[in-house]
Amino acid sequence: MMDNLRAASNHVVLKILLGLIILSFVLTGVGNYLIGGGGDYAAKVNGDEISRAQLERAYNNERSRQQQMLGEQFSQLASNEGYMQQMRQQALSQLVDETLLDQYVKELSIGISDDQIKQAIFNQQAFQTNGKFDNAKYNGLIGSMGFTADQYAEALRKQLATQQLINAVANTDFMLKGETDKLVGLVSQQRQIRQATLDVNALAAKQSASDDEINQYYQQHKNSFMAPEQFRVSYIKLDAASMQTAASDADIQSWYDQHKADYSQPQRSRFSVIQTKTQADADAVLAQLKNGGDFAALAKEKSIDPISARKGGDMGWLEPSTTPDELKNAGLTQKGQLSGVIKSSVGYLIARLDDLQPEQVKPLAEVRDAVAEKVKQEKAVDAFYKLQQKVSEAASNDNESLVGAEQAANVKATETGWFSRDNVPQDLDFDQVKQAIFNGGLTGANGAPGSNSDIISVDGDRAFVLRISEHKPEAVKALDEVKGQIADTLKHDKAEQQAKAQADKILADLKAGKQDALTAAGLSFGESKTVDRNTQDPVAQAAFNLPQPEKDRPSYGVSEDMQGNVVLVALDKVTVGSMPQGQIEQMVKGVTQNNAQIAFEALLQNLRKEAKIKYGAAAQMQ
């Protein structure tokens, strides 16, 4: 069994299942794995407690994830007490499943070695820079998640053990060769068909629709003939990009002087460290270094930090913001300078300053073009906002037209044609602008012009002032406007009914052995063609629902083609096709993956069924 575990495959469905566990592991943090609860609790699973803090952490992280994903829509969902309670119960259910899997892993004695943990850390892309492991990034990321190196390794050990369990379940499923052959034969099957088409449009051309029929249809389907609400809008558009002017030398110099930090690289330091568990160990290492010991060799041999030890203690380049406080406070100022023993949160450290890079500032000549562009943009934005204020005041003072706003902006307002919510002019196609037009606040009574809008700002430093010139409310179209459309619909419906009735009669005759039924109807079957299950055609799909033909006697059926015509289908022959070996393997893999998912879900259900799960008061807290 352990061989199967170590030979874990990369099934997609298993990655999804494992991803759920990893996601919870990352979101809920180390606390879910390393802390217990006290007093109040959410649940006890076979005696192992899920604390209220663990549930709150999982619930709040899921809430934050959905809020980030759904945006404004989430605020509506959050007001629904039932939805939020369901989210809380799902978070608790996930924690229960994690606990059950962890217990089962322990029962099976699935173990993860230190080497496997190290390799998993080195292979994690989140800890890499340009495809190589980055120790500084690793320390920064696990620190931001609230982990120490030992805590992260312990949580990762649990995750990898669970992964082995999932892969072990997956590797138990397989397909026999006979089963595979039958499935291949069924999937690759081909069918030879002929078809005779009853042209519905040709039949519709021979139909008629009376005024009474048209009027009756109109009265019964008025809601299908609604003219949408329509608008005509006058608007003034302001654009900061059009207001850019040249930047003077004085403006460029002033901006550069105020923003030198944007063109600077801060001082960087490069340290090497050796980490030990005890001060005695650190003292011994320090004594060896002072007696000429090789730092890199001692780091590889003595340091308990697997990441930096692998690189001879090298921590890489660190900026002030990423340098640990222990190193900042070590008083190292000269290259090659060695620290004393430093007590830290992870044990004891000995550090060496390997190199220093002073702060570097790019000269103005090197960044002049970029600074000039910044100056132009800022000046344009300043002028843009001043113009906004001026136009806004003019539009407010003269609220019955845009004349005053036109004068303030020194542009002529643009007038649209009629449009509805479904065909807003491209220049006005912004959510903020559409909301102002369609929310009813700018519409006058009985279709009359309303008031001017306030300034409406949109992305890209653009703004609008607008007014609704004319408005037509939603209304039922007059019968004369839709009479021709209704007549065409009635004719088509009659033709379709006629075609289906004729096809059903011919089908019955063909099944009774009357082969001249088609000729009598002025129809004939076309040339034979071969179709398979992948043919994107409703007629072909209908052919696979027909029974297999008897010798020299086709099977018959009725279908519709993609143009809506009624089609008689003759199935002459069924053959077994072939499939490339690679495609067969992919198909078998898909089936076994699906079965693996079912097996894993069954495992969880069985673990839940046999477990003693007791829910505490925290499970219901809001």
Side-chain angles (χ1 to χ4, degrees), residues 192-200 203 499-500 502-504 506-507 510 515-529 537 539-540 542-543 546 554-572:
Q192 292 182 11
I193 63 171
R194 292 170 292 141
Q195 57 191 73
T197 302
L198 283 75
D199 190 330
V200 172
L203 293 174
K500 288 180 177 179
Q502 185 177 0
D504 288 342
I506 295 172
L507 179 63
L510 289 173
Q515 298 300 315
D516 59 348
L518 272 180
T519 305
L523 298 172
S524 62
F525 282 118
E527 294 183 359
S528 176
K529 66 177 182 179
D537 179 355
V539 176
L546 296 178
S555 291
Y556 296 104
V558 175
S559 180
E560 291 185 10
D561 64 16
M562 299 179 71
Q563 289 73 42
N565 297 312
V566 177
V567 179
L568 286 157
V569 185
L571 172 59
D572 296 320

Side-chain angles (χ1 to χ4, degrees), residues 487-504:
D488 289 342
T489 299
L490 289 171
K491 291 177 183 179
H492 187 275
D493 289 348
K494 291 180 179 180
E496 186 175 26
Q497 292 173 10
Q498 178 184 342
K500 288 180 177 179
Q502 185 177 0
D504 288 342

Side-chain angles (χ1 to χ4, degrees), residues 283-299:
D283 289 337
V285 170
L286 182 59
Q288 289 180 270
L289 291 171
K290 287 182 177 180
N291 288 328
D294 182 85
F295 194 103
L298 286 170

Side-chain angles (χ1 to χ4, degrees), residues 433 436-437 439-444 448-454 456 466-468:
V433 175
I437 294 172
N439 68 7
L442 302 180
T443 305
S451 58
N452 296 335
S453 73
D454 295 328
I456 305 170
L466 55 86
R467 67 180 289 106
I468 296 175

